[in-house]
Amino acid sequence: MKTNNQSLESFYYGLDSLYWVSVQMFISDIEYKSESGVFWYLTHPIQMVNLTGIAVSLSINSANFSIQLDDGTGIIDCVLWYTDQMKVLQNPCDIKLGDLVSLNGRLSYFRDLKQVVINSYAVESDPNLELLHWAQAMHLKRFIIQHPFEVDPSVKTQLTTLPEFKPQLEKSPYLPEEVEMIKIIKSHVEHIQSFEFGKLGADQELCNAIKTHLDKPKMTPQELLLLIRKYVRILVKEGFIYLKNELTDLHEVISINNLGKELVDIIKNESGNHGFGYTLFDIIMVNLGQKKSFCRLGKIPVKRMLDELVMKDLISMNENGRYRAY
């Protein structure tokens, strides 16, 4: 079936109820679109699944165990990362080859393969549960074929009137000439990774690129400095770079090695403070606000980094949007 809705803007996905629940489905129906980084079930964007099948492969190590699950329609890798409680067990994995396994988990994409990061699982003793899963999955499939996900035009109109939606609905909040300047400075900064602002303002390669682009060969150093400062602030606002050291005006490109590491540490600490469990996004933001280097970051770049950490399986997110670090 053609999935026309796969061009929908990502901020509409939350209007689909299937996006927020674990979907009872067949492995062969899980579709991943690399251009959007989103999983789809026909016309519906999804994040989590309920699967039932036979464990046809098993791998166990000190940090996790993984199985290949075969439900008769396809095979998918499934991984469970050990909690602190599981790590002390002599044998944290009770699955054996050939077992019938039901599991719930979050879809991810790792090393060019679809996989499920397991939230919970059960080894089933009753083979009829596989038939029950088939019946429930087929029933849901018939329902969603009859009810494709579509956003009502009137809803779109209402959303566009909300101030918080306007920046997302526009291709860019900046003028075309500003977009080009952002690209020039972003490309230069991306190459050098970290910089002190004073030295960046005196960088001849960057200054010449700006003069050439603006066709203003006689720009003064002061004019260049003011212009560069403007776009450095925009890059900070957009979450591409952050002010690492206020005294030296040292900036650094945001990456997994800095912001990502900080977020993982915050999540680990919060889990330790409150016992085993998942951490709310708002609690992560409060903790990050107490870090001098990252206190200026808004929610969008933080959420973007959390999504990247989830995709790389460095942290997990449950169905309630809470996070846990391994």
Side-chain angles (χ1 to χ4, degrees):
M1 181 175 177
K2 191 175 180 181
T3 51
N4 295 328
N5 280 27
Q6 291 179 10
S7 62
L8 274 171
E9 296 91 336
S10 60
F11 44 81
Y12 292 134
Y13 295 165
L15 298 176
D16 187 351
S17 58
L18 287 186
Y19 190 66
W20 301 108
V21 299
S22 292
V23 182
Q24 199 97 2
M25 64 187 301
F26 297 113
I27 292 171
S28 61
D29 287 327
I30 301 171
E31 185 178 6
Y32 178 72
K33 288 293 181 180
S34 57
E35 63 269 21
S36 61
V38 175
F39 288 90
W40 291 84
Y41 186 8
L42 301 179
T43 60
H44 296 259
I46 58 173
Q47 301 182 89
M48 295 165 289
V49 292
N50 287 332
L51 303 174
T52 298
I54 303 296
V56 295
S57 174
L58 176 63
S59 175
I60 303 174
N61 59 46
S62 59
N64 61 49
F65 72 77
S66 62
I67 64 170
Q68 285 191 317
L69 194 74
D70 184 348
D71 71 349
T73 71
I75 298 175
I76 193 168
D77 292 330
C78 307
V79 60
L80 176 69
W81 292 88
Y82 299 148
T83 64
D84 291 338
Q85 287 89 337
M86 294 177 70
K87 287 178 182 177
V88 301
L89 299 177
Q90 188 173 1
N91 183 16
C93 175
D94 58 349
I95 298 175
K96 301 185 295 295
L97 287 179
D99 280 347
L100 177 64
V101 180
S102 296
L103 60 85
N104 160 275
R106 175 185 51 78
L107 291 165
S108 71
Y109 199 70
F110 182 65
R111 294 179 178 172
D112 298 325
L113 292 173
K114 293 177 287 189
Q115 73 168 16
V116 178
V117 180
I118 301 171
N119 290 329
S120 62
Y121 75 93
V123 177
E124 307 291 1
S125 58
D126 184 356
N128 289 320
L129 287 173
E130 186 174 26
L131 299 178
L132 177 62
H133 172 79
W134 292 351
Q136 291 172 334
M138 287 187 288
H139 176 76
L140 177 61
K141 188 170 184 177
R142 282 195 296 269
F143 176 83
I144 68 171
I145 287 173
Q146 295 169 5
H147 300 84
F149 173 46
E150 296 176 341
V151 182
D152 191 291
S154 64
V155 174
K156 285 188 177 183
T157 303
Q158 291 175 30
L159 289 176
T160 56
T161 63
L162 298 175
E164 59 268 32
F165 261 75
K166 287 185 178 179
Q168 299 181 63
L169 295 171
E170 297 168 358
K171 287 186 177 179
S172 171
Y174 306 107
L175 298 172
E177 56 268 26
E178 291 178 319
V179 171
E180 290 305 311
M181 281 298 302
I182 290 170
K183 287 180 181 178
I184 290 171
I185 296 177
K186 182 177 178 180
S187 175
H188 187 82
V189 167
E190 197 168 26
H191 178 69
I192 60 178
Q193 287 295 303
S194 64
F195 61 90
E196 292 179 9
F197 178 76
K199 293 180 180 179
L200 184 72
D203 189 304
Q204 283 303 117
E205 182 182 348
L206 177 60
C207 290
N208 289 337
I210 293 171
K211 289 177 182 178
T212 301
H213 171 70
L214 298 176
D215 195 20
K216 294 182 178 180
K218 295 184 179 181
M219 286 185 74
T220 66
Q222 185 64 22
E223 288 174 329
L224 284 165
L225 202 62
L226 289 172
L227 192 66
I228 293 171
R229 172 65 80 182
K230 171 185 174 181
Y231 290 102
V232 164
R233 285 174 176 163
I234 287 175
L235 291 175
V236 170
K237 178 184 174 184
E238 293 297 318
F240 179 73
I241 60 177
Y242 73 103
L243 182 58
K244 186 176 183 179
N245 189 317
E246 200 167 4
L247 291 176
T248 60
D249 217 352
L250 177 65
H251 293 73
E252 192 169 88
V253 173
I254 285 177
S255 69
I256 282 183
N257 294 327
N258 43 59
L259 177 58
K261 183 178 182 301
E262 193 70 59
L263 291 173
V264 170
D265 288 344
I266 287 172
I267 295 168
K268 282 183 177 178
N269 289 336
E270 283 299 316
S271 297
N273 291 337
H274 303 291
F276 169 68
Y278 287 78
T279 306
L280 283 167
F281 177 74
D282 288 345
I283 293 176
I284 295 171
M285 289 302 299
V286 169
N287 278 268
L288 202 62
Q290 297 170 359
K291 310 288 182 181
K292 196 169 184 180
S293 295
F294 298 106
C295 63
R296 295 176 179 82
L297 282 182
K299 290 184 178 182
I300 292 175
V302 175
K303 186 64 172 68
R304 192 164 59 226
M305 179 56 68
L306 286 169
D307 289 344
E308 185 175 347
L309 291 170
V310 168
M311 289 300 294
K312 291 181 181 294
D313 284 329
L314 295 172
I315 63 173
S316 64
M317 183 181 72
N318 68 8
E319 58 270 22
N320 297 318
R322 301 187 182 202
Y323 300 90
R324 178 166 66 86
Y326 304 122

